[in-house]
Amino acid sequence: MLRAADEYSSEQIRKWLDKTILGIRERKIGREQLQHATITLSNFGAIAGLFATPVVTPPQVAIVGAGRIMDKVQIREGQVVAIKSLPLSITFDHRACTGGEAARFVKALSMHLQNKR
């Protein structure tokens, strides 16, 4: 679990994430190290899911679910182009934030994933 994430640079978060993913794949990170997060990421796309409705359990405030990346067609300036699309789902606790705050978070996450900050 990444604590005090606001104190990390994007590069430091990337390093932490890479190290954590490697630890999970090598089964060197225990379940207890991944519990009690404020925001959880669920990757149900790895098993072909697109969207989900994850359940928030305290002390979590939100769960962001990543679906399977898929090819889509989009029209840009009158031209049909193929794009990659990553479906995102979010469940959040209304006691912790408003729908507007959650929507702004998802928008910022989406822009970051597209490198359009």
Side-chain angles (χ1 to χ4, degrees), residues 11-62:
E11 294 78 25
Q12 290 171 316
I13 291 173
R14 179 80 254 170
K15 286 180 185 176
W16 174 85
L17 186 59
D18 290 342
K19 182 179 174 184
T20 301
I21 290 169
L22 182 62
I24 292 168
R25 286 184 177 150
E26 294 178 351
R27 301 198 182 271
K28 293 182 179 176
I29 292 183
R31 181 182 174 123
E32 63 283 346
Q33 288 177 268
L34 301 173
Q35 293 178 327
H36 309 297
T38 303
I39 298 176
T40 300
L41 174 62
S42 177
N43 178 14
F44 49 83
I47 54 173
L50 294 179
F51 293 99
T53 306
V55 177
V56 174
T57 56
Q60 292 172 330
V61 173

Side-chain angles (χ1 to χ4, degrees), residues 69-101:
I69 295 174
M70 60 185 148
D71 293 316
K72 290 179 79 174
V73 174
Q74 190 176 72
I75 299 176
R76 291 187 184 163
E77 299 178 11
Q79 299 294 316
V80 177
V81 295
I83 63 167
K84 297 286 185 186
S85 178
L86 174 65
L88 295 175
S89 301
I90 184 169
T91 301
F92 63 95
D93 187 337
H94 269 285
R95 295 173 294 182
C97 65
T98 66
E101 290 167 325

